[in-house]
Amino acid sequence: MRRLISGLVVLAALASGWWALYAWSTGNVVAAWFADRAEDGWLANYSDVSVGGFPAQFTTRIEGLELADPDTGWVWTAPTLTLEQRVFRPDHLRAIWPSEQALASPRERLTIRSEAIRSDLDVQPAARFALDASDTELRGVEISSTEGWSMRLPEGRLTGQRVEGEDDTYDVAFRASGLVPPAPMAAVLDPAGVLPEAIGEVVYTARMAFDRPWDLRAIEDRRPQITRLDLDEAAASWGAMLFRATGALDVDGQGQPDGEISVRAENWRAMVDLAVNAGALPEQLQSSVEGVLGMVAGLSGSPENIDATLAFRDGRVFLGPIPLGPAPRLVLR
């Protein structure tokens, strides 16, 4: 019995020493990372870092965060960021975001308030924390801008899973309900106020390939860029309007997509009205567009619904043989 007790005491001492060594090294790693960013020309500040959670986990708390990327002009500030790791699972992180943080660009500053934003991350510590899987919960999020608008998201979830055998391809899913768009936007899109305040549901599921894995370089250097998009579903419902899309696109080095997306639009005339109200469609073209879309809807078998295919090629978007305009560039800043 005496030997057993002595062995347990020695084991506890070794475990405590290892925990203390890891906690000490974590503080050094954080300090070194911020110093490296400053050498690269960033504004990179924090006021304090502490590690707790003994003995079952490591809880790293970084306070007074300020990061500014000189290449993009983005600035992120937060009073605190908490990272949790279980002692026997260093490849699993939980990031707990503060109830208020700010994200600024050269154009505007966004204040982000939330009841909860938590991210569970499976990473590869030996490969610059390359992402294997992520699951982010969003509750009670409100974003307000210095440009005078605000929006609310009661509930949302974003997940990503690296495809087995692929370093840079991920299955991505986003689902949100009750999204309240900015009031100025809603007033422009729906001046008569006939639509519900909130967009009922937004769904996005896709397999996305990038030009390199998502790891620490996505913060330090640049964001990985999309090279392939296999869209399983992108859908949104707002009142009687429903939009759904599916298809596949290849994306070149300049962000130009090439491929086809099949779309279904229910109550499409209301969507045209929204486009005109928003200024996305000139009012003088409304009748012409409605004529073309009415013909497409007739081919679909229902005058109020459209089933059509959008083709992306040579930097433009086509509805059948009809050019609709320049294609959006898929570039992550």
Side-chain angles (χ1 to χ4, degrees), residues 9-320:
V9 169
V10 171
L11 183 62
L14 289 173
S16 298
W18 179 79
W19 189 97
L21 177 62
Y22 189 95
W24 173 81
S25 65
T26 297
N28 287 344
V29 167
V30 171
W33 190 85
F34 274 82
D36 288 343
R37 302 288 71 70
E39 287 184 7
D40 290 339
W42 288 50
L43 175 65
N45 296 318
Y46 69 98
S47 61
D48 187 51
V49 58
S50 60
V51 182
F54 179 84
Q57 69 177 27
F58 301 101
T59 302
T60 304
R61 182 180 175 90
I62 309 171
E63 299 183 27
L65 285 150
E66 187 178 27
L67 284 173
D69 183 350
D71 292 331
T72 62
W74 287 101
V75 181
W76 175 59
T77 55
T80 183
L81 174 66
T82 301
L83 301 173
E84 296 178 348
Q85 287 176 285
R86 285 175 285 178
V87 168
F88 299 108
R89 282 292 309 275
D91 61 333
H92 181 83
L93 286 169
R94 168 168 285 185
I96 302 173
W97 306 88
S99 58
E100 183 172 324
Q101 54 190 305
L103 186 63
S105 72
R107 182 173 175 270
E108 62 185 327
R109 176 184 172 90
L110 306 178
T111 299
I112 305 167
R113 299 181 178 89
S114 61
E115 295 175 12
I117 303 179
R118 286 190 291 266
S119 301
D120 287 312
L121 309 170
D122 287 332
V123 298
Q124 301 175 42
R128 299 191 60 77
F129 289 86
L131 186 65
D132 282 336
S134 66
D135 187 346
T136 298
E137 174 196 7
L138 306 128
R139 271 195 298 113
V141 178
E142 181 174 351
I143 301 175
S144 57
S145 168
T146 52
E147 292 293 300
W149 59 265
S150 65
M151 62 184 295
R152 300 197 310 275
L153 177 62
E155 187 176 6
R157 186 178 182 188
L158 173 65
T159 62
Q161 177 72 51
R162 185 173 61 84
V163 176
E164 187 174 356
E166 301 286 343
D167 290 334
D168 49 17
T169 303
Y170 304 82
D171 289 325
V172 179
F174 176 72
R175 185 178 296 271
S177 57
L179 175 65
V180 179
M185 178 187 297
V188 170
L189 295 176
D190 181 32
V194 298
L195 290 170
E197 179 189 36
I199 298 173
E201 188 174 44
V202 177
V203 176
Y204 175 89
T205 57
R207 176 163 291 187
M208 304 179 69
F210 298 87
D211 61 357
R212 71 183 189 191
W214 281 87
D215 55 26
L216 273 179
R217 292 175 299 170
I219 302 174
E220 300 168 348
D221 183 12
R222 64 168 178 83
R223 267 49 66 196
Q225 297 301 313
I226 302 169
T227 59
R228 171 80 180 179
L229 172 64
D230 290 301
L231 182 62
D232 181 58
E233 181 183 26
S237 60
W238 193 7
M241 293 184 298
L242 172 66
F243 176 84
R244 180 175 286 113
T246 184
L249 298 172
D250 289 306
V251 184
D252 67 16
Q254 285 70 50
Q256 294 288 1
D258 183 273
E260 293 185 346
I261 298 292
S262 298
V263 299
R264 178 174 177 81
E266 298 181 6
N267 197 11
W268 63 269
R269 295 182 189 277
M271 295 184 188
V272 173
D273 289 337
L274 291 185
V276 172
N277 292 336
L281 178 67
E283 187 174 357
Q284 60 268 27
L285 295 180
Q286 181 173 1
S287 59
S288 299
V289 170
E290 287 180 338
V292 172
L293 294 180
M295 180 178 64
V296 174
L299 295 174
S300 302
S302 172
E304 295 302 321
N305 302 331
I306 288 177
D307 289 291
T309 298
L310 297 178
F312 296 78
R313 62 178 183 270
D314 301 325
R316 301 187 67 80
V317 186
F318 296 84
L319 176 63

